[in-house]
Amino acid sequence: QVALAATVAAKYVGGVVLLRDHADSGRAPLNPVPAAKQRQALKLITDGLFRSESFKFKPEFVARLVPDQFERQYGGGSLAAAVNPDVSISGAVLNLQRGALDQLMSDAVAARIIDSPSKMTDAKQALALSELYDTLQNAIWSELKTGGDINPLRRNLQRDHLRRVVNSLIKPSPSTPADARSLQRANAIALQGQIRAAMAKAGNKETKAHLSESLDLLNEALKAPLQRSV
């Protein structure tokens, strides 16, 4: 249900409604989703998937997540190999988050957001691509401002976001808009400074190692020459 809600909400961000009217209907065929509705959808996603408090599970609940022993698959008349009973909560959460990021950080959404003001009577109200990227980055890396430990669920999400940023710097897709590339570079520089400042406040060894590795990746990506796909 969470995955379904996130998939539907993500389509509103940078979304355009296509009307298949007859001629002389008086309505424009292409209508960007109202900016207020886009921001509402974006807030729903960031609050539900990308904030530090988005996913919290009681240990008693996690310890009871095992497959039903009566639902094992049978093959060839004999009992199939036993399924690993240890469910990966972190993997399931990351899959949800990746699905939303795949949509929100796609080249197609970036292109539509960049073009949206040209279809609106009040272009100043449009959701800017910089607003989208800033909102995602601030939510995903919120611990950099508050300090303290970063739990495994959050480290997984931050690595996935960082991978996307680094790829956009080193080897962007031919379909990536130029504005998206430049904004990702600006955000990478800002993130670089935030991580460097947060390392002095980092708590446990895992958090320090995660931040150190993330900073090294950003440093190398920002120094690396751009590789254009052809």
Side-chain angles (χ1 to χ4, degrees):
Q1 294 301 316
V2 173
L4 177 59
T7 299
V8 173
K11 292 181 179 180
Y12 281 82
V13 181
V16 177
V17 178
L18 173 62
L19 300 177
R20 298 180 182 275
D21 286 350
H22 293 291
D24 300 326
S25 68
R27 300 195 302 178
L30 297 175
N31 297 274
V33 173
K37 184 67 69 175
Q38 293 189 49
R39 292 186 174 96
Q40 182 183 2
L42 181 58
K43 186 177 187 304
L44 176 68
I45 295 171
T46 53
D47 287 352
L49 296 185
F50 299 141
R51 299 212 180 273
S52 58
E53 63 275 9
S54 294
F55 292 95
K56 290 184 178 180
F57 303 98
K58 293 181 179 180
E60 299 86 355
F61 168 73
V62 177
R64 292 179 177 274
L65 290 178
V66 294
D68 188 335
Q69 299 302 315
F70 293 99
E71 292 186 356
R72 290 182 177 181
Q73 294 181 352
Y74 288 82
S78 61
L79 183 63
V83 177
N84 182 4
D86 191 4
V87 176
S88 174
I89 289 292
S90 60
V93 170
L94 184 58
N95 284 337
L96 287 172
Q97 295 166 329
R98 278 177 174 164
L101 285 178
D102 285 344
Q103 171 72 12
L104 295 173
M105 299 186 72
S106 68
D107 292 343
V109 167
R112 287 201 300 270
I113 289 178
I114 292 170
D115 290 341
S116 285
S118 63
K119 303 182 182 73
M120 301 172 63
T121 54
D122 188 359
K124 294 181 179 179
Q125 297 299 318
L127 175 73
L129 188 59
S130 59
E131 182 180 347
L132 171 61
Y133 288 166
D134 289 350
T135 300
L136 292 175
Q137 183 162 299
N138 290 338
I140 292 170
W141 294 88
S142 60
E143 291 90 347
L144 300 183
K145 295 182 180 179
T146 59
D149 296 340
I150 304 175
N151 67 45
L153 292 181
R154 297 288 292 168
R155 295 198 297 268
N156 286 342
L157 171 61
Q158 289 169 3
R159 290 188 187 103
D160 192 79
H161 176 263
L162 184 62
R163 173 181 60 82
R164 297 166 190 269
V165 173
V166 167
N167 286 343
S168 73
L169 298 178
I170 298 177
K171 196 172 182 180
S173 166
S175 61
T176 303
D179 282 350
R181 292 199 304 268
S182 59
L183 286 172
Q184 290 284 29
R185 174 167 286 273
N187 279 20
I189 293 172
L191 183 59
Q192 181 186 46
Q194 291 168 359
I195 292 176
R196 188 178 289 116
M199 289 183 66
K201 302 179 291 183
N204 59 30
K205 188 173 182 179
E206 288 80 4
T207 297
K208 292 179 180 178
H210 166 63
L211 292 179
S212 177
E213 180 185 44
S214 299
L215 184 59
D216 287 344
L217 286 173
L218 277 173
N219 289 340
E220 293 302 316
L222 287 167
K223 291 187 298 184
L226 185 67
Q227 303 174 25
R228 295 189 182 276
S229 300
V230 293

